[in-house]
């Protein structure tokens, strides 16, 4: 199917941010195309992918932006954040540093994005439980303190990917409708 003849009620722009190699591109590939690659190259070129789905009986086109390998603070331009109504801050739960950087990504985001943006932190690679370096409680605590949504996912095993995107889209819908 396509978007032909389909009435779109809303277009929601969501940005993916977080350190390099945490799995942003694979989360997007899993959500938009149900694909996954273990040897994914550093993201080049592709700006965003879309997926159209129903949220509370409305047709919502999610337009999800992926950083083109600019995963350093201040390298992500304001054009990237412009118009975004949602943001997913992704860390790798086997890499403590990628979680410790969440505060800086959040600061970046709050400096550039709309103040009503819905933010979710994602602890990706939950399939690698034996290598876990970030306790779930640490992330929960951070999310509560900063008033963010939080979920652990695996792009590899498809765990919670759909659910994370649906949660953020539903919350955005709730706010703007
Ligand atoms: P990005 O730089 O944040 O876009 O990260 P990528 O999506 O390119 O992923 C970086 C590496 O982690 C790649 O080798 C992926 O295959 C791998 N990866 C991504 N998501 C997962 C996951 O959920 N589980 C595991 N085990 N590996 C993952
Ligand atoms: Mg990438």
């Amino acid at each position: 199917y396509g978007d032909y003849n389909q009435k779109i009620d809303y277009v929601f722009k969501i940005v993916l941010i977080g350190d390099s190699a945490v799995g942003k591109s694979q989360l997007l590939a899993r959500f938009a195309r149900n694909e996954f690659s273990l040897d994914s190259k550093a993201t080049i070129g592709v700006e965003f992918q879309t997926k159209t789905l129903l949220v509370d009986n409305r047709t919502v086109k999610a337009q999800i932006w992926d950083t083109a390998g600019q995963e350093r603070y201040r390298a992500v331009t304001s054009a990237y954040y412009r118009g975004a109504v949602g943001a997913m801050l992704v860390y790798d739960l086997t890499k403590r540093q990628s979680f410790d950087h969440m505060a800086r990504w959040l600061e970046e985001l709050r400096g550039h994005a709309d103040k009503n943006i819905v933010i979710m932190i994602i602890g990706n690679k939950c399939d690698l439980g034996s290598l876990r370096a970030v306790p779930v409680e640490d992330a929960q605590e951070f999310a509560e303190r900063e008033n963010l949504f939080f979920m652990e996912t695996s792009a590899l095993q498809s765990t919670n990917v759909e659910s994370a995107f649906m949660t953020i889209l539903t919350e955005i819908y709730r706010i703007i409708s």
Side-chain angles (χ1 to χ4, degrees), residues 4-165:
Y4 296 103
N5 305 321
Q6 198 173 10
K7 184 177 153 285
I8 306 290
D9 295 307
Y10 299 98
V11 177
F12 291 161
K13 175 177 173 180
I14 296 176
V15 292
L16 291 168
I17 51 175
D19 285 5
S20 184
V22 295
K24 300 180 296 300
S25 298
Q26 293 309 314
L27 282 167
L28 180 52
R30 177 63 81 194
F31 177 65
R33 296 178 271 116
N34 198 22
E35 287 174 9
F36 179 85
S37 158
L38 257 179
D39 61 347
S40 72
K41 309 277 181 298
T43 317
I44 30 159
V46 184
E47 284 192 312
F48 63 82
Q49 295 195 48
T50 61
K51 180 166 175 159
T52 301
L53 65 183
L54 280 182
V55 177
D56 198 22
N57 272 323
R58 299 303 174 111
T59 310
V60 170
K61 181 185 268 195
Q63 186 189 74
I64 302 155
W65 289 58
D66 189 11
T67 51
Q70 318 156 304
E71 292 111 327
R72 283 167 295 111
Y73 319 103
R74 298 189 183 89
V76 180
T77 61
S78 21
Y80 187 71
Y81 296 106
R82 193 168 303 135
V85 289
M88 286 177 154
L89 265 67
V90 187
Y91 67 92
D92 174 346
L93 59 72
T94 72
K95 295 262 171 358
R96 182 73 204 188
Q97 184 172 259
S98 70
F99 176 73
D100 293 338
H101 287 162
M102 286 288 99
R104 286 158 78 178
W105 280 114
L106 195 56
E107 195 182 314
E108 275 275 289
L109 186 61
R110 289 190 167 141
H112 284 91
D114 187 275
K115 66 172 173 2
N116 293 320
I117 193 167
V118 177
I119 307 171
M120 178 176 238
I121 57 169
I122 301 281
N124 188 42
K125 310 198 186 181
C126 70
D127 56 285
L128 300 175
S130 58
L131 301 172
R132 176 188 287 276
V134 182
V136 68
E137 295 79 13
D138 290 17
Q140 268 162 352
E141 196 184 300
F142 179 76
E144 268 170 43
R145 193 170 58 230
E146 298 289 347
N147 212 3
L148 318 167
F149 291 87
F150 163 61
M151 214 171 266
E152 288 191 345
T153 59
S154 167
L156 186 151
Q157 291 184 337
S158 262
T159 315
N160 276 344
V161 177
E162 181 97 11
S163 173
F165 281 98

